[in-house]
Amino acid sequence: MNLENLNPQQLQAVRHSEGPLMVVAGAGSGKTRVITCRIANLLQEEGVTPDSILAITFTNKAAGEMKERVRNMLDLRGASPWISTFHSFCLRILRKHISELGFSNDFAIYDTQDQLTLIKQCMKAAEISADAFPPKTLLNHISGFKNDFLRPEDLKLDDMPYGNQLKAAGLYPVYQAALKKNNALDFDDLLVLAGRLFQDVPSLRAHYNDKFQHILVDEFQDTNAVQYGLVRLLCQSHNNICVVGDDDQSIYRWRGANIENILKFENDFPGTTVIKLEENYRSTQNILNAAGSVVRENRNRKDKTLWTQNETGSPVLCYRAADETAEAEFVCEKIQELNRDEGFSFNDMAILYRTNAQSRVLEDMLRRQGLPYQVIGGLRFYERKEVKDVLAYMRVVLNPSDSVSLKRIINVPVRGIGKTSLEKVEEYCREKGITLLEGLRDNGQTRLTAPAAGKKIAQFLQIIDDLSATFRQGNPLELLTEVIDRSGYGEMLKKEDTRESKGRIENLNELFSAVEQSVESGEGSLQEFLDSASLVADLDNFDDERGVLPLMTLHTCKGLEFSSVFLVGMENGLLPHASSMSEPEEYEEERRLCYVGFTRARKKLFVTHATQRRIYGTTFNYQPSDFLLSIPDEVMVRESSGFSNKPTSQYGSRLSGGREATVPYQDKRDDGYSIGTKDGAYSIGTKVLHAKFGSGIVLNLSGNEENLSVEVFFKAPHGKKKLSVSHAKLIII
């Protein structure tokens, strides 16, 4: 093991032996190298046994890279450290011990689509209107409860305001009961139930405390309450906990990540050694200065300043375009220029944006100019209909209690089992407290359905029984072959004989490859394959060797790096996002998002914004992002295209009366940049004060100067309000 190339701070972190350690690792400071070297040092120099080390990170890609690095550093034979994601670790624990909580070990894992199907069933049973209470919104609230480690019985309904959150709290126990009846868990349950096991079963907690003598957690700033609770439960007996993270890269507040976990760590673990990694090995100094100047304005952070021995580099180029089309043209021209003149490969450049909706114009322009690209975070392979359909057959064979998967396939391909017949069986199941498959089997004796439907159900059950026999006698590859054949799914796609059906057949062939690889790798059980398919993340599908230009959101790009980065849409209302501009904590997270985007770049960074942008069917005039004001002139140059303020589209705006949402700017720079607003003028992102609703942020404008209306987002509980400017007496702040 060679530690000579480590800097003094990295070396100190690697050689720290016992007790709590927090490594505050700035972007590009070599944290993965530190973690892997620390694992190797514990094994080689401290005499720690491999299976007593637990290292946890957030993506399969990061876990795989960590495993590979450790293997390359040491000749490991036999036992090896546990290196995995939080979800994979918890799944491994639950497969062994979930019977303590009343589930069987062959439980299913429900993805987002499965959860939505189940929540709709629960809402129907509870007579909750999906129009009044959107199912996705209720699911998000339930996920929030779980991320905060709150069980249904922990919620105080009397303290909640009427609305979606209260309705979700009432539905939470119903949803959990439905999951248990299906012997299924959702993604949040993997963490929550593992936490419950360690919390409620002292002997199990003691066993794993003794087993894992050293615990390392990567990306600690992204942990939520459940994950932090798990870590604390696992190291109670020894306190040998090492966390590595960067509060400036905490960007997942919307999914429960709590920046306070890293900020309060020293208080929760007295005697913590804190080591800061501030030397950056990735970016030029100009890029670091630009990123640091943006995030430094946040109050809720640990002080650090990134520096590098790399070259100063080119200044950041900020381009002001007339509209989103001109912005896309500029980006494509620069990409071709970098590829042609400087030898940058397409896969070593990236386009980043705040919202997925921004990709459409960019994709249109890339296609028009014949540039290869890949949108990261689109529909994942295992979420495609034909793949989910076929896997649903396999899931039912493995877990007969899985009624969501069973309902998905009972009439796919179409076999004449109607909605009315199925509803009769489901009602019978509710009365008897049995699973859907058991109810279908009882149909032959109870004759719940018409004879024709009963015959079709019997034929379907025969298919399931035949597949179950194949499963007992063979491996997952044989079962997959039988599913496609016996179910009629393969024949259905062949008969369609369309371009779409041929593409779906290709996807099923790729599924064969995936199952075959699983069998060849030695992890050949059906359960292991389905588990791995359930835990695939968006970023795990990113192939940086294909020579195509990646497009992705700022939330997706963390952990990646590119020679050149284009961050588009640097405007108030997009970055920072309009929904964050009236909430200080969310506004600070937007700064961190900007920082993450900037620090993905190694050599060149381009940021762009448009004076006028058509998005969600409406044309707006945007102000440049306030974040640009933080960046000193010596590290950023500004360019703009020649244009007028007239709408470029022949259709103009879709606002009231066909007028555009034009707002006069007040120039405060000598380079023609328009920032701020004139007194009494409004634009997207303008902060206002209302006598009744308090402070808010302008999201939209409509009407003309005499009859101007603004849509304003106010802090809870008020939310969005549409107000007439002439009557509302708003104060611009």
Side-chain angles (χ1 to χ4, degrees), residues 582-607:
S582 62
E583 182 60 52
E585 290 183 353
E586 292 187 10
Y587 192 75
E588 289 206 349
E589 181 149 307
E590 294 292 304
R591 274 208 195 94
R592 295 194 291 270
L593 262 179
C594 182
Y595 171 84
V596 166
F598 281 15
T599 55
R600 297 313 93 195
R602 290 194 296 267
K603 296 180 180 179
K604 292 183 180 292
L605 173 62
F606 301 85
V607 296

Side-chain angles (χ1 to χ4, degrees), residues 27-28 280-284 308 310 560-561 599-603:
N280 178 281
Y281 295 91
R282 176 189 301 157
S283 306
T284 65
T308 184
N310 296 339
L560 301 176
E561 59 181 75
T599 55
R600 297 313 93 195
R602 290 194 296 267
K603 296 180 180 179

Side-chain angles (χ1 to χ4, degrees), residues 478-509:
E478 292 169 355
L479 176 60
L480 176 59
T481 304
E482 282 297 297
V483 164
I484 295 174
D485 182 34
R486 288 285 292 116
S487 68
Y489 206 96
E491 188 63 28
M492 174 188 74
L493 293 179
K494 288 178 184 176
K495 284 182 178 178
E496 284 184 17
D497 194 26
T498 62
R499 177 180 291 183
E500 181 185 358
S501 67
K502 289 175 182 177
R504 293 168 71 185
I505 290 172
E506 289 175 358
N507 285 334
L508 292 183
N509 288 333

Side-chain angles (χ1 to χ4, degrees), residues 709-729:
S709 293
V710 290
E711 184 179 28
V712 182
F713 181 84
F714 293 101
K715 292 182 180 179
H718 306 298
K720 291 182 185 178
K721 302 287 182 184
K722 189 169 184 179
L723 305 169
S724 168
V725 170
S726 60
H727 295 97
K729 297 181 180 179

Side-chain angles (χ1 to χ4, degrees), residues 671-730:
D671 57 8
Y673 264 67
S674 301
I675 55 177
T677 59
K678 291 181 179 178
D679 291 341
Y682 298 87
S683 69
I684 310 299
T686 299
K687 298 174 185 178
V688 296
L689 189 67
H690 187 274
K692 179 179 179 182
F693 305 131
S695 62
I697 190 79
V698 174
L699 301 180
N700 206 342
L701 303 95
S702 59
N704 53 32
E705 292 182 7
E706 293 77 26
N707 189 29
L708 180 64
S709 293
V710 290
E711 184 179 28
V712 182
F713 181 84
F714 293 101
K715 292 182 180 179
H718 306 298
K720 291 182 185 178
K721 302 287 182 184
K722 189 169 184 179
L723 305 169
S724 168
V725 170
S726 60
H727 295 97
K729 297 181 180 179
L730 297 171

Side-chain angles (χ1 to χ4, degrees), residues 11-67:
L11 191 60
Q12 183 186 357
V14 166
R15 287 181 171 168
H16 177 91
S17 56
E18 295 191 345
L21 170 67
M22 179 165 66
V23 181
V24 182
S29 62
K31 68 178 179 62
T32 304
R33 179 180 174 84
V34 167
I35 294 172
T36 51
C37 284
R38 177 167 170 76
I39 292 172
N41 189 72
L42 287 170
L43 294 171
Q44 198 169 60
E45 303 298 329
E46 301 292 333
V48 177
T49 57
D51 60 354
S52 65
I53 296 174
L54 171 64
I56 304 179
T57 186
F58 275 82
T59 67
N60 295 319
K61 191 181 182 77
E65 181 183 351
M66 205 178 293
K67 288 177 185 177

Side-chain angles (χ1 to χ4, degrees), residues 197-316:
L197 274 173
F198 292 133
Q199 197 174 57
D200 298 349
V201 187
S203 59
L204 200 63
R205 182 171 68 247
H207 169 74
Y208 282 101
N209 265 256
D210 290 340
K211 177 176 178 58
F212 299 123
Q213 289 298 306
H214 286 271
I215 298 174
L216 301 91
V217 184
D218 189 17
E219 304 287 6
F220 190 68
Q221 76 281 347
D222 294 335
T223 54
N224 59 27
V226 183
Q227 290 159 337
Y228 191 40
L230 274 167
V231 169
R232 297 190 70 180
L233 287 165
L234 284 168
C235 65
Q236 283 183 341
S237 65
H238 51 73
N239 256 8
N240 290 330
I241 171 73
C242 168
V243 300
V244 183
D246 180 9
D247 49 311
D248 287 337
Q249 296 186 73
S250 178
I251 59 172
Y252 298 117
R253 186 172 180 267
W254 52 276
R255 71 181 187 197
N258 188 354
I259 192 174
E260 289 299 320
N261 290 347
I262 195 168
L263 297 177
K264 70 181 182 180
F265 184 84
E266 294 170 74
N267 291 328
D268 290 347
F269 292 87
T272 295
T273 298
V274 179
I275 300 171
K276 293 183 181 180
L277 305 184
E278 296 175 293
E279 182 177 359
N280 178 281
Y281 295 91
R282 176 189 301 157
S283 306
T284 65
Q285 191 62 56
N286 275 337
I287 291 171
L288 296 180
N289 289 346
S293 64
V294 172
V295 81
R296 198 173 294 118
E297 295 192 15
N298 279 355
R299 295 181 179 180
N300 209 18
R301 68 185 291 266
K302 290 182 177 292
D303 184 50
K304 71 187 79 68
T305 301
L306 292 185
W307 61 277
T308 184
Q309 297 184 51
N310 296 339
E311 60 183 350
T312 302
S314 306
V316 177

Side-chain angles (χ1 to χ4, degrees), residues 456-664:
K456 298 292 184 182
I457 290 173
Q459 291 171 347
F460 171 73
L461 291 174
Q462 187 60 54
I463 292 172
I464 297 299
D465 290 341
D466 290 347
L467 293 176
S468 297
T470 300
F471 169 59
R472 288 190 295 270
Q473 296 166 9
N475 63 33
L477 204 56
E478 292 169 355
L479 176 60
L480 176 59
T481 304
E482 282 297 297
V483 164
I484 295 174
D485 182 34
R486 288 285 292 116
S487 68
Y489 206 96
E491 188 63 28
M492 174 188 74
L493 293 179
K494 288 178 184 176
K495 284 182 178 178
E496 284 184 17
D497 194 26
T498 62
R499 177 180 291 183
E500 181 185 358
S501 67
K502 289 175 182 177
R504 293 168 71 185
I505 290 172
E506 289 175 358
N507 285 334
L508 292 183
N509 288 333
E510 182 61 27
L511 183 60
F512 268 105
S513 299
V515 175
E516 194 171 34
Q517 287 172 1
S518 176
V519 172
E520 290 174 354
S521 70
E523 297 179 352
S525 78
L526 178 59
Q527 186 71 74
E528 287 170 322
F529 173 73
L530 293 176
D531 285 349
S532 66
S534 297
L535 297 179
V536 170
D538 288 345
L539 201 54
D540 297 326
N541 290 329
F542 174 48
D543 180 3
D544 58 5
E545 299 299 325
R546 285 179 51 201
V548 298
L549 179 77
L551 281 68
M552 67 190 84
T553 66
L554 288 165
H555 284 104
T556 303
C557 75
K558 193 159 76 67
L560 301 176
E561 59 181 75
F562 306 91
S563 287
S564 182
V565 164
F566 294 81
L567 204 170
V568 301
M570 284 285 292
E571 297 141 26
N572 286 341
L574 283 177
L575 184 66
H577 196 270
S579 62
S580 74
M581 296 178 72
S582 62
E583 182 60 52
E585 290 183 353
E586 292 187 10
Y587 192 75
E588 289 206 349
E589 181 149 307
E590 294 292 304
R591 274 208 195 94
R592 295 194 291 270
L593 262 179
C594 182
Y595 171 84
V596 166
F598 281 15
T599 55
R600 297 313 93 195
R602 290 194 296 267
K603 296 180 180 179
K604 292 183 180 292
L605 173 62
F606 301 85
V607 296
T608 65
H609 62 95
T611 296
Q612 187 179 86
R613 184 179 299 275
R614 185 185 298 107
I615 194 167
Y616 304 124
T618 304
T619 300
F620 300 116
N621 275 10
Y622 282 92
Q623 298 176 42
S625 171
D626 287 345
F627 298 161
L628 295 173
L629 304 179
S630 305
I631 303 174
D633 291 336
E634 58 265 25
V635 302
M636 186 169 75
V637 296
R638 297 170 174 84
E639 295 181 4
S640 61
S641 59
F643 59 89
S644 72
N645 280 329
K646 299 295 182 183
T648 56
S649 167
Q650 60 177 310
Y651 300 106
S653 170
R654 299 185 188 182
L655 295 178
S656 176
R659 298 177 178 84
E660 58 176 305
T662 304
V663 181

